[in-house]
Amino acid sequence: MMPIEWIQRAVEPATRTLARLRSGLAVTTGRAAAGAKRHISPLASGIREAAGPVAPRGALIAAGAARPIRRAAGTMAVRLKPYTAGPAARIGRATRTTTGKSAILTVGAILLFGAAARLPAGGAPAASGPTASAHATEVTAGGSATSSSAAASPGARATPSARIAEVPRFGHVYWIILEEHSLLDVANGGKAPFLASLVKQGAVAADYDALAEGSLPNYIGLFSGSTQDIADDGVHYLDSPSLFDQLDSHGKTWAVHSQNVPGSCFLGLSAEGGPDGPGTYVRRHEPAVSFTNIVADPVRCARIGDLSSFAPGRTDFTLIIPNMCADMHDCPVSVGDALLKKLVTKIRSSKSWSTDDLIVITFDEAGEGPQPPSRRPGLLALSGLARPAFVSHEDRNHYSLLRTIEDSWRLGCLANSCAAPALGELFGGP
């Protein structure tokens, strides 16, 4: 039987379900959401069952039709989004637009893409790693993500989202995270000339926002797709999957370089001095030590080191955390600007630097305590793939940064990053 016949067979129950949604979900938004949950769950199950017979063709689909399938998947997510978030009027419109030929195209594309995504290149089974309790993410037909407790491993594949942003394939990626300021305020304030020069070279997300008040919730959200209900800067150990797990399971190497952190998997609240010289390290700014499957594994925990051990190009992904002075938290922005100059110059002058490498500079939040809506941390992307001297005013946040690296390296997605738009506009994407 041809693949299109499998698509048509899979779409028939989906079309009937969507028709029921149209008639049964138009009373209020609240009732619409409840009805959608009842109908979309069996729809998702039906799609997974129907995808089984197509799985043998997955490798061919992935090799020859990945781009049009991604576009179709994006169309499906946009059209079905109102079932979980939009008002009743939009639900009616979305239902009408997903019937007939459009439903066959988009549902069929997701069905085929799902089959292909489950097959690694060459049809080999996915690698597995040490098990750990985690929250597995499932993307519903409406493009939203639901979380359920499950046994997972650092080597397990993260659940792919229903839509993949058009972001380029990066080489080495470096994230430098500073503290308690707005990027453009610092760049335009006259006290950080090097950062101001970088803004003129790279692409800026001016309306890039934090996720919560406080440092730790933002760092945890950036690396796990959820703040994990953390509302303080205390000590927490989490069983949730993280970006570190995604990188490991996809063969990507990573390292964390946190200025003034002692060696030997240090778990204390703070530390001073060491090979990095004067300065204070604080645990709340370093997310890796909050994940149990890292601190319980000496090999993985050894990837956390101080800044003196940083060497560009040694790992695919590098997180750089300056100390409490150099991150602009406790000291003038000029001190942080001086460190930025040292770091960025070291990276871009290294033999490993390439036009597809990416440096991201951002802040955990725009300031201590509540901030006005107009004051946001912002983000700067430096890369030969970034749009030079470009400023975006799209609403983005830390989940968008996570989603960007997930999409670039095809890592799947974690929790709220599944519904977050990537930063594709900074690289000429949609």
Side-chain angles (χ1 to χ4, degrees), residues 5-259:
E5 295 173 344
W6 289 110
I7 294 173
Q8 291 170 338
R9 176 174 295 182
V11 165
E12 289 176 2
T15 304
R16 291 195 298 269
T17 302
L18 290 174
R20 290 196 297 272
L21 281 169
R22 180 182 175 187
S23 60
L25 301 179
V27 180
T28 65
T29 302
R31 293 178 59 186
K37 182 177 180 181
R38 291 195 302 271
H39 287 81
I40 289 174
S41 294
L43 171 60
S45 299
I47 290 176
R48 288 195 297 268
E49 293 173 1
V54 190
R57 303 179 178 88
L60 179 61
I61 295 168
R67 182 169 295 179
I69 287 174
R70 286 196 300 270
R71 287 197 297 266
T75 301
M76 184 63 172
V78 171
R79 288 177 176 173
L80 290 182
K81 184 177 179 181
Y83 286 112
T84 58
R90 291 174 60 195
I91 290 173
R93 289 197 299 270
T95 304
R96 290 193 294 273
T97 59
T98 51
T99 56
K101 294 181 179 179
S102 294
I104 292 176
L105 171 63
T106 55
V107 174
I110 290 178
L111 187 153
L112 293 178
F113 181 68
R118 288 198 301 272
L119 292 179
S128 59
T131 59
S133 176
H135 291 281
T137 302
E138 179 181 0
V139 180
T140 68
S144 62
T146 58
S147 186
S148 59
S149 180
S153 70
R157 289 179 179 268
T159 306
S161 171
R163 53 193 172 95
I164 297 179
E166 293 295 333
V167 295
R169 190 84 167 186
F170 300 120
H172 299 101
V173 173
Y174 306 86
W175 288 0
I176 304 173
I177 304 181
L178 305 173
E179 289 285 319
E180 308 288 350
H181 285 83
S182 167
L183 176 82
L184 291 182
D185 284 354
V186 173
N188 296 329
K191 302 295 184 181
F194 183 72
L195 181 58
S197 70
L198 295 180
V199 166
K200 296 177 182 178
Q201 301 171 30
V204 173
D207 290 333
Y208 179 94
D209 208 356
L211 305 174
E213 292 182 29
S215 293
L216 187 60
N218 285 295
Y219 282 96
I220 294 302
L222 177 55
F223 279 85
S224 71
S226 168
T227 62
Q228 308 298 337
D229 296 324
I230 294 174
D232 56 45
D233 286 333
V235 175
H236 298 269
Y237 292 101
L238 305 168
D239 290 333
S240 308
S242 69
L243 174 59
F244 304 112
D245 300 331
Q246 292 176 297
L247 294 170
D248 280 342
S249 67
H250 287 77
K252 293 290 187 180
T253 55
W254 60 268
V256 176
H257 291 280
S258 191
Q259 196 172 17

Side-chain angles (χ1 to χ4, degrees), residues 171-174 253-255 257 309-318 320 343 346-354 357-359:
H172 299 101
V173 173
Y174 306 86
T253 55
W254 60 268
H257 291 280
S309 62
F310 168 56
R314 184 179 292 171
T315 57
D316 297 308
F317 174 86
T318 304
I320 299 176
L343 289 172
K346 182 176 182 177
I347 294 169
R348 297 202 296 193
S349 64
S350 69
K351 293 181 179 179
S352 67
W353 178 255
S354 177
D357 288 351
L358 171 67
I359 301 173

